[in-house]
Amino acid sequence: MLTFINPIPGLAPITGFIVLGVLLVVLMVFTLRWRMHEHSKVDLLHAFVHLRVNLPKEAPETGPAQRDWRETLAGYETLFVTLGGLTYRPGGGKFGELWFQFWYGRHDHITLEMVAINGQIYFYLVVPRALRQLLELQILAQYPKAQIEAVEDYNIFGPNSFVQGTSLQLKKPSMYPIRTYKKLDSDPLNGITMALGKVQAGEGAVIQIAIRAKRAGWDQAGVRKAKLMQEGKEKRGGSSGGLLGVLGASLKGGEQEQYQTRMPNITPQEQELIKALEEKASKPGFETNIRIVTSSPNERNARVHLENIVNAFTQFHAPESGTSFKRRQVRRTGRVIWDTIWRNFNPTNMILNSEEVNSLYHFPLSTMETPNIAWLAAQQAAAPVALPTEGITLGHNVYRGQDLVV
């Protein structure tokens, strides 16, 4: 029996104290970090502005000038392509950005909201004040007749309301695309607004889609999967060969991945999936939270409204990829309600690209027949250019964020 003798007496207790001290310091740092993250969510509420966007209801174009609704939505996608390229820099360069995010988290998300309240449907955006002007310019570039105004926050809850809330997640990894407007027979907003249109006066409902630009590299899993399928290679056991597969291989000591190779005899369905994977990876990506909350004096109505809205998202099921949205557990209270009210962004693995986000949220087209949409009743106009600069002040002309004394 071998006996090991410690060459330095008392070293083991000292080492133990050092390890314990390091663990305590790490625990204290991350506890402080968590508290600062939570406090910053409340403190930074004042750094966001609520924008309500209204558009006029116009007669649809006819004849040669008429555009297909898909072409119109493709133009609107430019808004999200621009947002996907934004980089949040709190100052101090790359190190300052990482330091700020470690202690306070990222607060560059944008919340897209469709709200049914007082018997009408409204479209809101909640954005950082630093991005307000840029976002307004981008919206007006795609929706020239839109009216954008900063408003106070709304409240869908009544004093005696029953509340139902849930969130949506993808059934499969994010590299698999959902069905978008390009492959649907009608504007996907029709089904969503029809569900919201069932909400009566005295009730309320909100669909909240919080997005923030995903850093470069998110698309590699989809590109890699498409390449493997094109080469006729599939992992044994049916693994997708995505990010989890790569991590699994590294944890096993860097073992070489085993593939079974077949002749690249790709079926039409596989070709469609390859094309879909490549198309999704080719566009800007967004980490996405989707939350749905309803409120009604009648508990059954609150539950029915929630189910109707959730069912409206089944239209995004993609046969070629097999993915769609799934509902999480319905809650009457708890985190999903809290996050909706405070518009918190929870780090997530659900990544949607600009085309998918544009399919879920865009402002109503003039062809939309949902009766309860709050259309713009009267349009604003800019003041004449050659106005006198002296004399009696009659008022102010506020047009597209510019305040001109008349």
Side-chain angles (χ1 to χ4, degrees):
M1 179 171 159
L2 296 176
T3 302
F4 293 95
I5 301 175
N6 187 359
I8 305 179
L11 180 61
I14 295 175
T15 304
F17 281 121
I18 292 175
V19 172
L20 180 60
V22 170
L23 291 176
L24 287 175
V25 170
V26 171
L27 179 62
M28 290 174 61
V29 168
F30 278 91
T31 301
L32 178 61
R33 177 175 178 263
W34 175 81
R35 291 180 63 86
M36 294 180 72
H37 272 229
E38 294 302 311
H39 280 294
S40 67
K41 291 179 180 179
V42 178
D43 294 340
L44 288 176
L45 284 177
H46 302 291
F48 285 77
V49 59
H50 301 75
L51 301 177
R52 186 172 65 201
V53 182
N54 295 95
L55 283 90
K57 174 67 172 175
E58 297 178 325
E61 296 178 345
T62 58
Q66 184 177 8
R67 296 178 63 189
D68 182 74
W69 63 270
R70 294 182 185 86
E71 296 179 13
T72 304
L73 288 188
Y76 295 163
E77 189 182 332
T78 306
L79 170 64
F80 296 107
V81 173
T82 303
L83 293 177
L86 295 179
T87 303
Y88 179 62
R89 299 285 185 185
K94 185 65 176 178
F95 177 78
E97 176 187 1
L98 295 175
W99 180 260
F100 183 90
Q101 290 181 10
F102 177 82
W103 288 110
Y104 300 101
R106 285 181 61 182
H107 298 282
D108 56 334
H109 62 279
I110 295 173
T111 307
L112 317 170
E113 301 178 359
M114 289 175 276
V115 182
I117 188 173
N118 298 326
Q120 290 191 298
I121 301 171
Y122 297 91
F123 292 79
Y124 289 86
L125 298 97
V126 181
V127 304
R129 292 185 183 275
L131 297 179
R132 175 183 175 179
Q133 186 175 17
L134 173 63
L135 191 64
E136 287 184 355
L137 292 174
Q138 290 296 325
I139 292 174
L140 292 172
Q142 306 304 324
Y143 302 84
K145 297 182 179 180
Q147 177 178 306
I148 307 171
E149 57 180 329
V151 296
E152 295 294 327
D153 199 1
Y154 57 84
N155 181 17
I156 66 169
F157 306 107
N160 299 308
S161 294
F162 293 92
V163 178
Q164 299 275 298
T166 189
S167 59
L168 302 183
Q169 187 60 267
L170 291 174
K171 288 184 176 180
K172 300 182 70 173
S174 290
M175 64 179 173
Y176 294 100
I178 60 172
R179 176 181 280 188
T180 66
Y181 66 90
K182 292 184 177 180
K183 297 182 179 180
L184 289 169
D185 296 329
S186 61
D187 182 358
L189 202 61
N190 284 333
I192 295 174
T193 55
M194 288 299 291
L196 288 172
K198 302 296 184 181
V199 179
Q200 303 299 313
E203 301 175 328
V206 57
I207 302 173
Q208 191 178 91
I209 304 172
I211 61 172
R212 71 181 183 190
K214 182 66 176 174
R215 299 295 187 239
W218 70 270
D219 53 347
Q220 291 307 301
V223 172
R224 185 170 179 271
K225 174 68 175 179
K227 183 179 179 181
L228 289 175
M229 293 181 66
Q230 287 175 327
E231 294 175 350
K233 296 179 180 179
E234 294 180 346
K235 294 191 73 174
R236 288 179 180 173
S239 174
S240 64
L243 179 60
L244 293 179
V246 176
L247 294 176
S250 63
L251 292 175
K252 292 178 182 179
E255 297 178 4
Q256 294 293 325
E257 295 176 343
Q258 300 297 319
Y259 295 99
Q260 57 182 16
T261 305
R262 58 178 171 80
M263 294 299 293
N265 183 21
I266 302 174
T267 66
Q269 184 178 7
E270 290 175 328
Q271 189 61 50
E272 283 293 319
L273 177 56
I274 292 172
K275 181 181 178 181
L277 290 168
E278 293 175 336
E279 287 180 349
K280 175 158 187 176
S282 67
K283 297 188 175 184
F286 298 88
E287 291 180 78
T288 308
N289 295 169
I290 303 177
R291 296 183 282 260
I292 303 169
V293 175
T294 60
S295 170
S296 174
N298 185 293
E299 185 175 9
R300 179 181 178 277
N301 287 352
R303 185 169 58 252
V304 169
H305 293 324
L306 185 74
E307 293 296 333
N308 289 339
I309 296 171
V310 170
N311 289 336
F313 282 82
T314 59
Q315 63 183 311
F316 299 108
H317 170 73
E320 64 275 6
S321 66
T323 194
S324 59
F325 290 108
K326 62 180 180 180
R327 183 190 66 185
R328 290 184 172 178
Q329 187 173 357
V330 176
R331 301 286 186 180
R332 297 180 182 178
T333 59
R335 182 168 183 175
V336 66
I337 310 299
W338 172 269
D339 288 342
T340 302
I341 295 172
W342 294 97
R343 295 177 175 88
N344 293 334
F345 189 93
N346 299 316
T348 176
N349 293 324
M350 183 165 73
I351 303 173
L352 303 179
N353 70 6
S354 56
E355 181 180 321
E356 293 171 316
V357 175
N358 190 42
S359 301
L360 299 179
Y361 184 95
H362 53 268
F363 303 120
L365 305 179
S366 58
T367 55
M368 189 167 294
E369 298 299 331
T370 304
N372 295 6
I373 293 177
W375 296 100
L376 183 62
Q379 298 187 44
Q380 294 179 333
V385 178
L387 281 177
T389 58
E390 298 179 354
I392 300 174
T393 300
L394 301 177
H396 293 258
N397 175 256
V398 182
Y399 182 70
R400 294 190 174 181
Q402 300 296 321
D403 190 345
L404 181 65
V405 179
V406 180

